[in-house]
Amino acid sequence: LTLPALNEKLDTIRGVTIMAYPMGLPEWDTVRLTIEGNEGLEGTGASQSLLDENTAELWVASRIFDRSPGQTVRDRLGGNEKTKVIGKLQRPGGGPPGREAGVSEDEKKAMMAYYFKKQEEMKALAE
């Protein structure tokens, strides 16, 4: 994620907003305030989910990463290109985030259907 890529996406949002609202958005609209550079989220529910970039904690593998200067995630986890790392940002002092399920809902349903079918086959063989 680079600054030029973010600016390009913001320009795209600006263009789409102008096409959707040719008369312009009201002065108080959060989309307009965000596009113009003002935060625009004060007093809304979305402002509570924002994290401060100076105090947010990065958690990976149930461990917090300290903010050592000059140290990158690669230094801490190694340089294997095929490694998938899932990191989560938390508020300071919030503790580790909840663990993700090892199996997705679709995989869980497929496994349950397979074992149910296998159980039915075993019952049929026993009779």
Side-chain angles (χ1 to χ4, degrees), residues 34-91:
T34 304
I35 289 173
E36 290 176 352
N38 303 331
E39 191 62 36
L41 297 176
E42 293 83 13
T44 66
S47 66
Q48 295 176 353
S49 64
L50 294 177
L51 298 173
D52 182 25
E53 64 188 46
N54 296 322
T55 60
E57 297 176 341
L58 176 63
W59 287 81
V60 174
S62 298
R63 288 183 283 160
I64 189 170
F65 277 23
D66 59 344
R67 293 178 174 257
S68 301
Q71 197 173 36
T72 63
V73 176
R74 180 182 178 148
D75 296 336
R76 297 173 184 148
L77 298 177
N80 188 350
E81 294 177 2
K82 295 184 180 180
T83 301
K84 177 181 177 183
V85 177
I86 298 176
K88 292 191 176 183
L89 292 173
Q90 289 285 102
R91 294 187 187 282

Side-chain angles (χ1 to χ4, degrees), residues 94-116:
R99 291 183 163 258
E100 290 189 14
V103 180
S104 70
E105 286 294 320
D106 293 335
E107 291 172 336
K108 189 175 182 180
K109 287 178 185 178
M111 285 192 304
M112 290 183 67
Y114 171 77
Y115 287 117
F116 178 76

Side-chain angles (χ1 to χ4, degrees), residues 8-21 35:
E8 180 183 335
K9 298 300 179 192
L10 192 57
D11 289 339
T12 303
I13 292 172
R14 258 190 216 106
V16 169
T17 305
I18 290 171
M19 289 178 6
Y21 298 97
I35 289 173

